[in-house]
Amino acid sequence: MRVNRKMKQKITLKKIAKEFGVSISTVSKALKDSHEISLELKEKIQAFAKYYHYKPNSLALNLRNQKTRTIGIIIPEIVHHFFTKVITGIEKLAIEKGYNVMICLSNESYEKEVLNIETLANGIVDGIIISVAKETEEKEDYEHFTELINSGIPLVMFDRVVDEIKCSKVIADDKGGAFLATDHLIKNGCNRVALITTPDYVTVGKERREWYNRALTSNKLKIDENLIIKIDDKKDIEEQLRSLLTGGNPPDGVFAVNEIYAATFMKVARNFGYKVPDDIEVIGFTDGLISEFTIPSLTTVAQHGRSMGQKALELLMDEIDSQEADYQHKNALINTDLKIRNSTKKSTASELIN
């Protein structure tokens, strides 16, 4: 009997999932004998995987002591200049250390993130740096990270991190930055400060909202839920922002949790006949090219993406080089600054506030 060897090569979670018409997560759980999957489906998936000799991350385990000198990076999207800065910081230090960098894009998709992890973990890289996709945060399904860590591959999370996962993490001072921005608007005379943020399941948006609230209360201003807009990126952003300007009592200040939301709001405000900063002052988060070249240029909280990238790689390299069986993971906090430009009124405040 001839064995079709071609069929038995490179079987992956994705191929098994396609065979049974289920998600990658379902296959992963079935192979781990999870009680969440029916007995009949589990037995079929396990039999299929056994027949095709599926072994998760087997090559990665074999190569654990034979370094590829390649680092994997997974980012949610490429349009934000922040992620470009992070990659620049990682790559600069990686070259100095004699490492190559492989970049993957999750496109905010849970399934794509799982596939990226699976591909990179199959002996291609010595470690992975990731900013978690929004869909993964929404699903709260982090099993692919647990599997990665259990396979012995170092993982560092940056910007969007998952507290439940035991790995090293690098974050910007989202709390301090949000407080700084909101407080600056209030000190400039704004008393109806709006917030443009993400849904609550996005960790960075949630933290920035919390400290926006704290800045209001510390200045004895009431929190008005009508001034808080949670943007659904799957819908028309401009349409969602118009609600801030159509109620007859518009804000006189706006803090947006990223520069795209801030720039989009300025466009909407201009279409309504408002002038920035004369009528409404605006501050964004993340000091990218958009902030510099909007009209007027955008006052923003600078996250220092390059520094974040360099720190993430330093932590990853430390774990890769560690000989400790029980490596102690580390957390790093990157300070944020407020960079004053033309979307806020001139004041006596310092142009660079730490």
Side-chain angles (χ1 to χ4, degrees):
M1 178 180 175
R2 295 183 61 187
V3 177
N4 189 338
R5 298 184 182 278
K6 186 175 181 181
M7 285 182 63
K8 291 194 175 187
Q9 289 179 353
K10 298 182 180 178
I11 189 70
T12 64
L13 288 177
K14 182 181 180 182
K15 290 179 181 178
I16 299 173
K18 185 177 181 180
E19 177 71 21
F20 289 92
V22 297
S23 70
I24 292 170
S25 178
T26 297
V27 173
S28 178
K29 290 176 181 178
L31 294 176
K32 284 184 167 293
D33 205 28
S34 170
H35 64 86
E36 298 178 45
I37 311 302
S38 70
L39 180 60
E40 181 183 3
L41 181 58
K42 272 195 297 188
E43 288 179 346
K44 288 181 179 179
I45 290 175
Q46 289 170 1
F48 185 88
K50 183 178 180 180
Y51 178 78
Y52 284 98
H53 307 303
Y54 173 74
K55 293 180 180 179
N57 299 327
S58 58
L59 183 57
L61 292 172
N62 291 335
L63 292 179
R64 188 66 184 94
N65 296 316
Q66 301 176 28
K67 295 178 181 177
T68 65
R69 302 200 72 80
T70 300
I71 300 299
I73 307 172
I74 304 174
I75 58 173
E77 51 187 328
I78 204 67
V79 294
H80 281 300
H81 192 63
F82 165 69
F83 290 116
T84 305
K85 287 185 175 181
V86 172
I87 291 170
T88 301
I90 294 172
E91 191 170 42
K92 182 177 184 296
L93 184 57
I95 291 171
E96 293 174 5
K97 299 290 185 180
Y99 273 76
N100 295 312
V101 171
M102 182 176 291
I103 303 168
C104 297
L105 187 65
S106 70
N107 266 332
E108 303 288 12
S109 163
Y110 165 79
E111 295 284 343
K112 186 73 181 296
E113 183 176 272
V114 171
L115 287 173
N116 286 335
I117 290 283
E118 179 187 337
T119 300
L120 293 176
N122 199 24
I124 295 176
V125 300
D126 295 331
I128 294 174
I129 298 172
I130 186 171
S131 183
V132 181
K134 286 182 181 178
E135 192 172 80
T136 301
E137 291 187 304
E138 185 177 12
K139 283 177 174 288
E140 296 184 341
D141 186 342
Y142 310 126
E143 190 171 353
H144 52 302
F145 297 134
T146 302
E147 290 179 357
L148 180 72
I149 293 168
N150 289 343
S151 73
I153 298 177
L155 173 70
V156 173
M157 294 181 173
F158 75 93
D159 190 43
R160 298 186 203 156
V161 304
V162 179
D163 292 337
E164 295 91 331
I165 298 299
K166 294 181 180 179
C167 67
S168 295
K169 303 177 179 75
V170 184
I171 60 172
D173 185 9
D174 293 301
K175 299 174 181 178
F179 187 95
L180 193 65
T182 309
D183 187 67
H184 185 77
L185 289 169
I186 296 168
K187 294 292 192 295
N188 266 12
C190 301
N191 54 33
R192 283 182 52 77
V193 179
L195 173 69
I196 304 172
T197 186
T198 58
D200 287 339
Y201 60 77
V202 180
T203 54
V204 292
K206 186 176 181 180
E207 289 196 339
R208 291 169 193 175
R209 177 180 177 175
E210 178 187 348
W211 286 77
Y212 154 86
N213 288 344
R214 292 198 185 196
L216 292 179
T217 55
S218 70
N219 284 280
K220 296 181 172 54
L221 291 179
K222 181 181 177 182
I223 297 170
D224 185 348
E225 294 294 329
N226 293 321
L227 291 175
I228 298 175
I229 302 295
K230 299 177 184 178
I231 295 295
D232 182 347
D233 289 326
K234 297 176 183 178
K235 299 178 181 178
D236 186 287
I237 295 178
E238 290 188 26
E239 181 65 33
Q240 295 172 76
L241 291 177
R242 289 187 188 105
S243 62
L244 281 174
L245 302 171
T246 56
N249 195 12
D252 51 10
V254 168
F255 168 49
V257 300
N258 63 49
E259 62 181 358
I260 291 178
Y261 292 172
T264 305
F265 174 79
M266 289 199 295
K267 175 184 175 183
V268 171
R270 185 164 55 248
N271 290 340
F272 270 79
Y274 292 100
K275 294 181 179 179
V276 176
D278 296 342
D279 301 319
I280 307 173
E281 299 189 46
V282 180
I283 296 180
F285 210 109
T286 303
D287 185 32
L289 290 175
I290 292 175
S291 299
E292 188 174 352
F293 292 108
T294 54
I295 299 175
S297 58
L298 182 64
T299 294
T300 185
V301 178
Q303 284 180 283
H304 305 295
R306 288 189 181 90
S307 297
M308 184 176 288
Q310 289 178 347
K311 190 62 181 179
L313 185 59
E314 286 174 8
L315 295 182
L316 188 68
M317 295 290 293
D318 185 63
E319 186 170 356
I320 290 172
D321 295 338
S322 174
Q323 300 299 316
E324 300 173 18
D326 187 19
Y327 179 79
Q328 297 299 308
H329 297 109
K330 303 174 178 68
N331 294 331
L333 183 70
I334 306 299
N335 290 333
T336 52
D337 305 315
L338 187 60
K339 191 167 288 188
I340 307 298
R341 292 197 180 94
N342 295 326
S343 65
T344 51
K345 297 174 183 177
K346 301 300 180 183
S347 68
T348 57
S350 170
E351 290 205 352
L352 189 64
I353 309 172
N354 293 316

